[in-house]
């Protein structure tokens, strides 16, 4: 019950704070929210825009939500996405000429492997060396972005891309098309399927059971003889694979090539989505759509109200801070019949 | 603030308190009066509602019905801070002081308002003066981690007195203490009550303490008050009958004569470090045969916890070997299963359970990846998990609202039972147990002792670590004494010389 109440209250509080913020720069908050709604969910067109943005968000959110089951805080989704995108583009270019049914899955696998390597690396560092996974995943993420920049400006650069260094464009039949009857690409289905699979994995398999034991109490997990290290590394690798797949989707469905515009903040927004969804893989889906909507409305705010493009980022920042601040309220808010359960004395 | 209410011991009355958890009635119209300047004992079997009652008084729980009266005035206590303002203080069964900080630091930081800049010298002087007015002696500058259990408990009590508690609630304060430590602590508390400085409500499972230190006693059974009155009107027998009614208590288990058999568990040259990296286990050699209970005696903090953790797979050994059935044993899941090694660790909620997972899930920790809980070794059959748990709950009489309740909501004793059910319900070849009856009511103690002997009779090798010498003398076939991380003495219960054991435990 409070599990839903607290994030919703946090969301409401941040909307109020953001309202105060826009009022300060002289814009009516009501106009802003009205417009945001229109831009995100007001028409079929804006819905499609929203869903397109939600697809990678679901995947990057899983990159944080899966390790969270083990009690880890991983924030390297951006890097895994970028590296996955690069791997997908490189694979697509290397296999140029081969039939699409072979190449597209290969691109996906390459992207997942790249992401898995990055975040699984953070998990391995944590297990083997006791390195804090939050810090290491963030730093690895910076390295991944640097690698992308290096590759698109160097070895993989398409000489034709002058002012925006990029890889060569992918062959047309290697791109992912849109869902029948709409302008949303198949990445959305990939994301939803992955979220469902992640939920099933954590709730309905022995692997997930073991992972939740480790997350809930590592001492009890050790007493049951569970391979804590292996669970840690496998889960982080899987998480990285999800974000890597997001990179592949972005390359194959949106950009058609790898370049710096892949660093679009999907990774960091994904962290926010995961936290707001309370790390529940199923809840990630609606929350990702909500944030896809916030992102989609940014353009409209800029055009109609002259708000800076970054204002939606301000909103996201406010939501994140409010959410973290409200974390401490879990179990402390007293609903009439739901009191706090203190430690058994 | 009225000065009059501050000086001297207040009376406290709970009036018709009812507390329900999701339809389960944990307390049903319980009334209780603690007279000023007395020690009042609260008894009841595991899950009777004792902790729930005092948590209602302290403002952790909000009772559904009923009221709390301090000095005959109704008070509304919404949270523990408010309780503190009314002069109520509570000492929990588990320690709450910060181990790495000194007693002085712990006390000062516990105050309701701590100045931004602390003048430690002045605080120290003030506290030392305060302590001189107290019968309790504690070392102010010692880090809490270095204190013995009895001194820690005293420090916890001093903390409440320092926070100006005039009414002290103690939830099983003695289960972690040796009988001598318990007597000393309770004696001091009783003295303070007699001199009119404190009123005390104490939860305990030990009749001896009730008879020796309490003025009045109240007994709860299944959330109802079934008896209350002066201790003089009772004997341990009448109290026991009040607690459990006419239910039969397991008699002492008959020890089957077991022939001298093969060595099941062999520990040699085992060394391990504690959490801070200091050597805690320094070269332990031990052998346990099938059908034998080897008791390990010792004062807490002499490496027993670490020894048990190594054997249970919760702590790496820094040197030495462990063998089970003659094969090297590293406490992996496969080895545990192959050799049927189980354990009953200390503080089960902290070391053997995941509090947020359900009772059913916690009971499945050993078997969740096997049929019937798992299909094909990977698909979790949640229905089978629940069914298995339901059977265990009935067989081991675990009191819970159901298999889906988070195990953290169970009473302390029932968490213990749930773990026991998980570890002992199958075929056991080796059992590692550490203080398995801490915090259990007398019926449960008898029950668990019987189960351990039962496992031994069926041929299990049992290593039993305990701080209760009586328990060890009753259950063990062989007894060793551990001091400063090493085995310093070995004897059998029949030929045991208590003075020698006492001296060895003290490290001489
Ligand atoms: N937060 C909670 N939610 C649901 N049930 C609870 C909760 N807290 C306690 N209970 C239930 O209330 C009953 C009484 O628990 P309580 O902790 O008061 O027992 P107790 O008398 O202190 O037992 P013990 O001697 O084992 O500590 C138990 O059956 C327990 O499962
Ligand atoms: Mg209790």
């Amino acid at each position: 019950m409070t599990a839903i109440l607290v994030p919703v209250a946090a969301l409401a509080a941040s909307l109020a704070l953001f309202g105060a913020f826009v009022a300060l720069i002289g814009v009516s908050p009501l106009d802003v929210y009205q417009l945001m709604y229109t831009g995100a969910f007001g028409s079929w067109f804006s819905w499609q825009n929203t869903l397109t943005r939600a697809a990678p968000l679901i995947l990057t959110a899983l990159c944080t939500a899966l390790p969270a089951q083990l009690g880890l805080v991983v924030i390297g989704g951006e890097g895994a996405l970028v590296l996955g995108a690069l791997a997908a583009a490189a694979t697509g270019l290397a296999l140029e000429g081969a039939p699409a049914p072979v190449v597209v899955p290969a691109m996906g696998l390459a992207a997942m492997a790249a992401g898995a390597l990055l975040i699984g690396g953070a998990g391995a560092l944590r297990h083997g060396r006791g390195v804090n996974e939050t810090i290491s995943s963030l730093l690895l993420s910076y390295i991944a972005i640097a690698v992308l920049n290096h590759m698109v400006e160097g070895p993989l650069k398409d000489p034709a891309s002058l002012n925006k260094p990029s890889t060569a464009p992918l062959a047309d039949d290697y791109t992912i098309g849109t869902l029948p009857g709409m302008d949303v690409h198949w990445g959305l289905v990939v994301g939803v399927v992955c979220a469902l699979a992640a939920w099933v994995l954590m709730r309905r398999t022995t692997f997930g059971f073991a992972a939740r034991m480790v997350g809930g109490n590592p001492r009890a997990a050790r007493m049951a003889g569970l391979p804590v290290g292996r669970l840690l590394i496998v889960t982080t690798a899987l998480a990285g694979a999800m974000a890597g797949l997001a990179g592949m989707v972005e390359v194959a469905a949106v950009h058609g090539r790898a370049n710096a515009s892949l660093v679009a903040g999907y990774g960091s927004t994904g962290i926010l989505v995961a936290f707001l969804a309370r790390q529940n893989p199923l809840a990630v889906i609606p929350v990702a759509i909500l944030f896809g909507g916030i992102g989609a409305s940014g353009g409209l705010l800029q055009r109609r109200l002259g708000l800076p493009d970054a204002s939606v980022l301000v909103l996201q920042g406010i939501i994140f801070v409010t959410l973290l601040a409200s974390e401490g309220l879990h179990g402390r808010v007293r609903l009439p019949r739901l009191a706090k359960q203190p430690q058994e004395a | 603030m009225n000065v009059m209410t501050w000086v001297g011991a207040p009376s406290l009355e709970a009036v018709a308190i009812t507390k329900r958890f999701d339809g389960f009635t944990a307390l049903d119209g319980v009334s209780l009066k603690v007279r000023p300047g007395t020690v009042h004992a609260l008894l009841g079997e595991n899950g009777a509602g004792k902790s729930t009652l005092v948590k209602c008084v302290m403002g952790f729980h909000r009772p559904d019905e009923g009221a709390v009266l301090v000095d005959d005035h109704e008070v509304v206590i919404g949270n523990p801070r408010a309780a503190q303002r009314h002069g109520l203080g509570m000492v929990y069964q588990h320690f709450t002081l910060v181990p790495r900080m000194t007693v002085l630091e712990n006390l000062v930081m516990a105050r309701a308002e701590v100045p931004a800049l602390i003048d430690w010298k002045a605080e120290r002087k003030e506290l030392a003066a305060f302590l001189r007015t107290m019968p309790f002696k504690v070392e102010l500058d010692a880090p809490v981690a270095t204190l013995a259990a009895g001194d820690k408990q005293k420090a916890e009590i001093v903390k409440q007195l320092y926070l100006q508690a005039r009414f002290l609630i103690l939830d099983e304060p003695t289960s972690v203490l040796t009988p001598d430590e318990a007597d000393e602590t309770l004696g001091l508390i009783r003295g303070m009550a007699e001199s009119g400085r404190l009123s005390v409500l104490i939860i305990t499972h030990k009749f001896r303490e009730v008879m020796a230190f309490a003025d009045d006693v109240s007994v709860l059974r299944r959330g109802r008050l079934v008896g209350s009155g002066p201790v003089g009107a009772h004997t341990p027998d009448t109290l026991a009958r009040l607690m459990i009614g006419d239910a039969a208590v397991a008699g002492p288990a008959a020890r089957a004569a077991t022939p001298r058999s093969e060595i099941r568990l062999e520990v040699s040259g085992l060394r391990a470090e504690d959490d801070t990296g200091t050597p805690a286990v320094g070269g332990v050699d031990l052998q346990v045969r099938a059908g034998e209970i080897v008791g390990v005696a010792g004062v807490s903090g002499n490496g027993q916890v670490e020894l048990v953790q190594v054997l249970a797979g919760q702590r790496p050994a820094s040197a030495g070997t462990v063998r089970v059935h003659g094969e090297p044993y590293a406490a992996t899941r496969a080895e545990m299963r192959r050799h049927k090694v189980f354990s009953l660790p200390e503080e089960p909620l902290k070391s053997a359970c995941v509090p947020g997972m359900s009772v059913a899930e916690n009971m499945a920790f050993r078997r969740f990846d096997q049929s019937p809980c798992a299909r094909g070794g990977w698909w979790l059959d949640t229905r089978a998990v629940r069914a298995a748990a339901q059977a265990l709950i009935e067989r081991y009489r675990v009191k819970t609202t159901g298999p889906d309740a988070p195990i953290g909501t169970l009473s302390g004793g029932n968490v213990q039972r749930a773990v026991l059910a998980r570890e002992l319900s199958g075929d056991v070849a080796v059992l590692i147990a550490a203080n398995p009856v801490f915090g259990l009511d007398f019926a449960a103690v008898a029950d668990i002792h019987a189960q351990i002997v039962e496992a031994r009779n069926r041929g299990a090798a049992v290593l039993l670590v305990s701080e209760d010498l009586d328990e060890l003398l009753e259950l063990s076939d062989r007894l060793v004494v551990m001091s400063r991380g090493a085995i310093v003495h070995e004897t059998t219960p029949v030929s045991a010389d208590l003075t020698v054991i006492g001296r060895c435990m003290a490290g001489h």
Side-chain angles (χ1 to χ4, degrees):
Chain A
M1 206 23 210
T2 46
I4 299 177
L5 216 69
V6 173
V8 168
L11 207 58
S14 16
L15 288 181
L17 277 175
F18 182 65
F21 168 76
V22 291
L24 268 182
I25 50 178
V27 180
S28 150
L30 280 182
D31 287 354
V32 170
Y33 289 132
Q34 168 96 53
L35 216 57
M36 278 182 74
Y37 178 78
T38 316
F41 310 108
S43 65
W44 178 226
F45 173 80
S46 39
W47 261 105
Q48 297 187 94
N49 189 358
T50 295
L51 290 177
T52 305
R53 288 165 185 267
L57 282 181
I58 295 175
L59 291 166
T60 53
L62 291 178
C63 183
T64 298
L66 279 176
Q69 313 293 321
L70 286 126
L72 302 181
V73 181
V74 164
I75 57 173
E78 189 89 33
L81 179 148
V82 160
L83 217 54
L86 186 65
T91 310
L93 294 172
L95 297 182
E96 185 131 20
V102 176
V103 178
V104 175
M107 285 166 61
L109 285 179
M112 288 168 76
L117 216 60
L118 191 79
I119 305 299
L125 278 172
R126 161 68 191 252
H127 174 60
R129 288 267 158 277
V131 181
N132 179 300
E133 76 285 351
T134 314
I135 309 286
S136 68
S137 63
L138 181 66
L139 295 182
L140 284 171
S141 182
Y142 289 138
I143 295 176
I145 293 171
V147 168
L148 171 81
N149 288 334
H150 171 74
M151 295 306 272
V152 298
E153 284 165 22
L156 290 180
K157 183 174 177 183
D158 175 7
S161 62
L162 289 177
N163 41 17
K164 187 161 199 182
S166 310
T167 62
L170 287 170
D172 267 351
D173 46 344
Y174 295 166
T175 58
I176 305 181
T178 56
L179 293 167
M182 52 174 107
D183 206 16
V184 182
H185 58 72
W186 278 94
L188 181 67
V189 176
V190 172
V192 170
V193 167
C194 284
L196 293 177
W199 187 85
V200 168
L201 178 73
M202 283 301 159
R203 290 281 142 184
R204 288 285 179 272
T205 69
T206 54
F207 178 90
F209 191 93
R212 283 187 290 136
M213 278 174 71
V214 175
N217 186 352
R219 260 170 84 183
R222 289 218 171 78
M223 182 191 146
L226 293 180
V228 174
R230 199 167 72 209
L231 283 163
L232 222 116
I233 294 171
V234 171
T235 309
T236 45
L238 247 150
M242 296 288 129
L245 198 55
M248 182 268 185
V249 165
E250 283 302 285
V251 161
V254 181
H255 300 278
R257 49 169 63 186
N259 59 30
S261 34
L262 285 163
V263 190
Y266 282 128
S268 37
T269 307
I271 304 169
L272 180 47
V273 170
F275 271 81
L276 200 61
R278 295 205 51 84
Q279 317 291 1
N280 177 332
L282 282 188
V284 154
I285 300 172
V287 178
I289 292 174
L290 181 69
F291 277 83
I294 293 178
S297 64
L300 201 61
L301 289 185
Q302 186 180 16
R303 267 178 280 127
R304 292 272 191 81
L305 298 176
L307 282 178
D309 198 20
S311 22
V312 290
L313 289 183
V314 173
L315 175 58
Q316 288 191 3
I318 293 178
I319 295 178
F320 201 39
V321 173
T322 328
L323 193 69
L324 289 184
S326 74
E327 238 0 53
L329 289 178
H330 278 282
R332 263 214 268 162
V333 269
R334 277 167 191 269
L335 301 177
R337 271 171 46 81
L338 238 137
K340 173 189 166 147
Q341 167 60 29
Q343 289 255 309
E344 160 67 20
Chain B
M1 199 172 296
N2 185 345
V3 184
M4 283 314 287
T5 59
W6 272 113
V7 191
S11 69
L12 183 129
E13 195 170 353
V15 185
I17 301 233
T18 295
K19 176 72 193 168
R20 294 184 202 93
F21 294 109
D22 305 317
F24 168 79
T25 308
L27 291 175
D28 187 0
V30 173
S31 300
L32 181 115
K33 174 152 187 170
V34 181
R35 296 178 289 130
T38 61
V39 177
H40 193 116
L42 183 57
L43 280 172
E45 59 181 332
N46 295 125
K50 305 177 296 296
S51 297
T52 306
L53 178 63
V54 293
K55 283 174 188 167
C56 285
V57 171
M58 286 300 291
F60 276 116
H61 290 319
R62 187 167 296 175
D64 295 304
E65 285 156 39
V68 174
L69 271 54
V70 175
D71 274 335
D72 300 320
H73 295 291
E74 178 164 352
V75 291
V76 177
I77 298 172
N79 56 56
R81 278 256 189 258
Q84 190 183 322
R85 278 197 299 278
H86 286 102
L88 311 183
M90 176 151 162
V91 174
Y92 298 87
Q93 182 182 356
H94 55 98
F95 296 119
T96 59
L97 298 175
V98 184
R100 277 168 198 255
M101 287 170 40
T102 65
V103 175
L104 173 69
E105 288 164 345
N106 265 293
L107 291 184
V108 172
M109 298 314 286
R111 283 205 315 238
E113 61 284 313
V114 186
L117 206 62
I118 300 174
D119 180 353
W120 286 108
K121 231 186 234 159
E123 296 287 354
R124 195 181 184 293
K125 221 158 124 199
E126 198 178 305
L127 252 169
F130 167 77
L131 274 179
R132 272 194 293 278
T133 69
M134 288 288 131
F136 293 93
K137 296 289 161 257
V138 288
E139 181 70 54
L140 276 181
D141 300 310
V144 169
T146 64
L147 298 180
D151 291 334
K152 269 189 219 166
Q153 194 63 287
K154 279 188 220 158
E156 296 273 0
I157 293 171
V158 165
K159 174 172 129 188
Q160 291 308 324
L161 298 176
Y162 175 64
L163 297 176
Q164 311 211 310
R166 293 290 182 274
F167 189 95
L168 202 54
I169 297 175
L170 304 159
D171 194 351
E172 302 188 29
T174 57
S175 56
V176 286
L177 305 187
T178 63
D180 286 345
E181 284 174 329
D183 283 354
E184 190 195 351
T185 310
L186 293 180
L188 292 173
I189 286 188
R190 166 142 198 106
M192 290 190 73
E194 273 169 0
S195 63
R197 287 168 76 173
L198 269 186
S199 313
V200 182
L201 179 62
I202 176 173
I203 298 177
T204 178
H205 287 296
K206 297 176 184 156
F207 295 134
R208 194 183 60 81
E209 293 172 355
V210 177
M211 304 315 290
F213 297 103
D215 300 291
D216 299 323
V217 57
S218 294
V219 182
L220 288 182
R221 180 156 92 222
R222 293 162 198 245
R224 289 218 179 85
L225 187 77
V226 290
S228 192
V231 166
H234 287 284
T235 65
D237 275 346
T238 59
L239 290 175
R241 201 138 344 107
L242 278 176
M243 273 173 69
I244 60 166
D246 293 325
V249 177
R255 306 171 74 82
T258 43
R260 192 171 168 80
S261 50
E262 97 275 5
I263 292 173
R264 221 7 112 62
L265 170 70
E266 185 175 14
V267 176
S268 37
L270 192 74
R271 290 174 185 278
E273 291 164 354
D274 67 11
D275 290 334
T276 63
T278 29
V281 180
V284 163
D285 296 303
L286 257 180
Q287 294 172 344
V288 187
R289 294 172 182 278
E292 181 187 44
I293 299 179
V294 173
V296 180
V299 178
S300 75
N302 274 278
Q304 303 98 312
V305 174
E306 288 78 8
L307 173 66
V308 167
Q309 287 178 342
V310 171
L311 294 178
Q314 294 176 320
R315 182 178 293 278
S318 50
T321 55
V322 178
R323 288 172 171 275
V324 176
H325 287 123
E327 294 173 33
Y329 176 78
T332 63
R333 197 166 173 82
E335 287 170 345
M336 286 177 187
R337 184 163 296 154
R338 183 149 40 94
H339 296 302
K340 304 195 178 69
V341 181
F342 292 90
S343 51
L344 298 173
E346 220 166 347
E347 297 186 279
L349 189 61
K350 262 201 226 157
S351 54
C353 295
V354 176
M357 287 170 86
S358 71
V359 173
E361 289 173 321
N362 272 280
M363 281 182 158
F365 282 4
R366 292 285 182 195
R367 280 183 280 203
F368 73 87
D369 49 357
Q370 278 175 312
S371 163
C373 294
R375 275 190 253 142
W378 65 276
W379 182 259
L380 203 62
D381 185 339
T382 47
R383 215 174 303 154
V385 168
R386 290 182 79 242
Q390 191 64 52
L392 288 179
I393 287 170
E394 276 156 30
R395 184 164 145 212
Y396 285 83
R397 296 191 300 278
V398 181
K399 278 192 204 108
T400 166
T401 44
D404 296 326
I407 201 163
T409 65
L410 262 56
S411 83
N414 281 299
V415 173
Q416 195 105 346
R417 276 166 191 268
V419 172
L420 188 88
R422 174 178 89 205
E423 301 291 318
L424 286 190
S425 54
D427 192 7
V428 182
V430 177
L431 176 67
I432 318 286
N435 294 311
V437 299
F438 264 13
L440 293 186
D441 66 53
F442 73 96
V445 169
D447 195 19
I448 287 179
H449 282 169
Q451 303 248 15
I452 290 177
V453 172
E454 186 64 26
R456 162 202 177 272
N457 289 348
R458 283 193 310 246
V462 181
L463 186 72
L464 173 66
V465 177
S466 172
E467 277 152 45
D468 182 349
L469 202 51
D470 293 332
E471 177 179 40
L472 290 173
L473 289 171
E474 184 192 328
L475 297 182
S476 312
D477 292 294
R478 217 149 41 88
L479 186 66
V480 298
V481 179
M482 195 165 171
S483 174
R484 300 205 190 123
I487 305 285
V488 294
H489 182 62
E490 179 176 335
T491 178
T492 57
V494 231
S495 58
D497 180 341
L498 286 185
T499 46
V500 176
I501 291 180
R503 226 179 308 129
C504 292
M505 281 171 63
H508 297 301

